[in-house]
Amino acid sequence: MFSMESFVSNTDSSSIYFNTTVSPSQSPNSLHTLHQSELISYYERVVIVTVNRVGLSTVLGLTGVVSNVLNIYVFLKQGLHIVMNISFFVLAISGLLRTINFLWMTVCNNPEIDSLDVPFLFQDVQFLTSAWISGSLARISIFITTFMTIQRCISILKPMEIKTIITPLRSVIILFCIFLVNSTIAIPICLSWYLDHNFYPSKNRTLLGLVVRDNSAEAQSVVYILHAALFVISLVGLIFFTVVLILKMEQLSQWRQDALSKNQNQAISKRDKKMSKIVSLLAIFTIVLSTPTVTVSIASTFVSAFSVSGNQVNLYFAVWSFAYAFGAIEANVSVFIYYNMSSKYRDTVQHIGWFCCTDCKALSAKPRPVTDSRNLDRTVSQVKK
């Protein structure tokens, strides 16, 4: 068990100097005065962050790793020659990276982590190595889901041309560009911070902590705006194309009747409707669970007090902990949607489970020793004598 006082003390003595943009030479009393106007206290921040980013995110991170590894294996098994499988596969990779990142964040936010005798501050290292990576991966997931809804809309509007418009190669190029653009946005902001040795009076030692580079304010403001703009563009685009997809799904049979016979229409319509329902349901969950992250990102961009260096730093970390928890839930949702709505996915998973159970039974089964009846009779006679 950890003590509340120890975590507050660790927070004050580590990254609090960075968070309030004051020099390490300032005393804790001046820091306390600086934070008197905050909406929530250190104790409230401790409780919220510990529950969300240590307790809840740990469980969801572990389950997310398992579910996304399962998704990756299933879509590899089904083959990446199918355009939609490529998108599902890349979305699973993004989800896996997000959940691994969440687990690293839970380690760095553990209340007792600063009590370890290490030459650096975990929270500062976490901010530099995973905070912006998490935001980039969240945008990537939204953009990939948006791309899938666009594919399904095209398949409804132009069913005869979908295979020539969205080819596997073009799909790979688009998904690669999504990763590239969202990843490069975070590079300038990461380069504006660096780790260096600073003296921390409350710890009475020199530790490796986060330092802001000179003349980086303009670069940070631009990156913050781009970060929020990409979030808004991706979410608005996802909402728009999801609405279009849901509305057009009702017209799918009529589109097919103009070009195909009745039997063909029924078969193709059923398959396309099922895939469109999977994508639309996945998009709806993504919209609901991504909205907190997008909202907090916008607030962090345009409200100076609500930031890692503002006077509402406790509220900042507390609210972001909820956004990260929603992101961890989002990374776990897809496996349940695929399993309940895709018979092909379900059959593949059940085949994996059957194969594993068969192997386990084969390994646990012990072969019966072959007994020679003559040797047994000889042994019994010797015992009688």
Side-chain angles (χ1 to χ4, degrees):
M1 295 295 292
F2 64 89
S3 62
M4 189 76 71
E5 291 80 4
S6 65
F7 181 57
V8 173
S9 176
N10 291 335
T11 304
D12 290 341
S13 63
S14 59
S15 60
I16 193 66
Y17 294 112
F18 155 68
N19 291 337
T20 55
T21 63
V22 296
S23 63
S25 61
Q26 287 183 275
S27 64
N29 292 330
S30 63
L31 293 175
H32 177 72
T33 303
L34 183 61
H35 288 282
Q36 283 181 346
S37 61
E38 290 208 48
L39 296 178
I40 65 172
S41 65
Y42 287 122
Y43 289 99
E44 293 169 330
R45 167 185 168 181
V46 167
V47 173
I48 295 172
V49 172
T50 302
V51 171
N52 289 336
R53 297 184 70 171
V54 179
L56 185 60
S57 293
T58 299
V59 176
L60 293 174
L62 292 173
T63 56
V65 169
V66 175
S67 61
N68 283 285
V69 169
L70 178 62
N71 289 341
I72 291 172
Y73 178 81
V74 168
F75 293 119
L76 277 176
K77 190 77 173 178
Q78 293 180 358
L80 298 181
H81 58 281
I82 303 173
V83 173
M84 289 303 299
N85 278 5
I86 297 174
S87 298
F88 287 134
F89 175 77
V90 177
L91 184 64
I93 292 177
S94 176
L96 177 61
L97 294 176
R98 289 184 73 186
T99 51
I100 293 174
N101 187 60
F102 285 139
L103 291 176
W104 167 238
M105 294 173 71
T106 59
V107 171
C108 294
N109 285 275
N110 189 288
E112 293 294 331
I113 198 68
D114 279 334
S115 63
L116 299 177
D117 187 17
V118 293
F120 58 88
L121 298 174
F122 273 94
Q123 290 188 356
D124 287 9
V125 173
Q126 177 261 322
F127 180 82
L128 185 62
T129 58
S130 65
W132 285 94
I133 293 176
S134 177
S136 298
L137 290 172
R139 290 196 308 271
I140 288 171
S141 297
I142 301 174
F143 272 110
I144 293 175
T145 310
T146 305
F147 175 59
M148 289 192 293
T149 58
I150 294 174
Q151 290 183 63
R152 300 317 305 166
C153 289
I154 296 175
S155 68
I156 295 174
L157 296 175
K158 296 183 179 295
M160 300 293 105
E161 304 174 13
I162 179 63
K163 292 185 178 180
T164 57
I165 296 175
I166 306 293
T167 63
L169 179 59
R170 290 176 181 175
S171 181
V172 170
I173 293 174
I174 293 173
L175 294 171
F176 175 78
C177 291
I178 290 175
F179 263 92
L180 183 63
V181 171
N182 286 279
S183 301
T184 53
I185 289 297
I187 293 177
I189 195 69
C190 292
L191 294 178
S192 64
W193 310 91
Y194 68 99
L195 295 174
D196 199 1
H197 290 90
N198 293 311
F199 180 74
Y200 294 88
S202 57
K203 286 183 174 289
N204 195 27
R205 60 180 301 191
T206 299
L207 297 171
L208 198 64
L210 207 58
V211 180
V212 184
R213 295 184 185 275
D214 295 334
N215 302 323
S216 61
E218 294 182 359
Q220 291 181 35
S221 61
V222 172
V223 172
Y224 273 110
I225 293 174
L226 290 175
H227 174 74
L230 286 175
F231 258 130
V232 173
I233 292 172
S234 61
L235 187 61
V236 171
L238 180 58
I239 294 173
F240 174 78
F241 287 107
T242 301
V243 172
V244 173
L245 177 60
I246 294 174
L247 293 177
K248 291 298 180 181
M249 280 172 57
E250 301 299 327
Q251 304 175 8
L252 183 61
S253 298
Q254 185 63 39
W255 283 96
R256 294 292 188 262
Q257 289 175 359
D258 296 336
L260 303 172
S261 65
K262 183 177 180 181
N263 293 334
Q264 289 177 323
N265 172 62
Q266 292 176 350
I268 296 177
S269 176
K270 183 178 179 180
R271 183 177 67 247
D272 283 353
K273 279 187 175 181
K274 182 177 291 187
M275 180 60 68
S276 298
K277 286 180 180 179
I278 293 174
V279 174
S280 60
L281 188 60
L282 185 64
I284 291 172
F285 274 100
T286 302
I287 291 169
V288 173
L289 297 174
S290 297
T291 300
T293 302
V294 177
T295 304
V296 177
S297 297
I298 296 173
S300 302
T301 302
F302 297 103
V303 181
S304 59
F306 185 75
S307 66
V308 73
S309 58
N311 59 7
Q312 296 296 332
V313 60
N314 288 333
L315 181 65
Y316 174 85
F317 280 107
V319 173
W320 264 113
S321 69
F322 283 102
Y324 286 128
F326 276 101
I329 295 173
E330 180 189 347
N332 284 268
V333 166
S334 59
V335 66
F336 298 102
I337 296 176
Y338 301 152
Y339 188 84
N340 288 293
M341 299 194 65
S342 174
S343 57
K344 189 176 181 181
Y345 181 94
R346 186 166 52 252
D347 292 341
T348 305
V349 173
Q350 291 175 352
H351 177 75
I352 296 171
W354 177 86
F355 182 77
C356 293
C357 291
T358 303
D359 285 349
C360 292
K361 291 179 180 178
L363 292 174
S364 61
K366 295 182 179 180
R368 296 181 179 179
V370 179
T371 304
D372 191 343
S373 60
R374 291 176 297 179
N375 293 337
L376 181 60
D377 294 339
R378 189 182 300 112
T379 302
V380 171
S381 62
Q382 290 177 355
V383 171
K384 289 181 178 180
K385 289 180 180 180

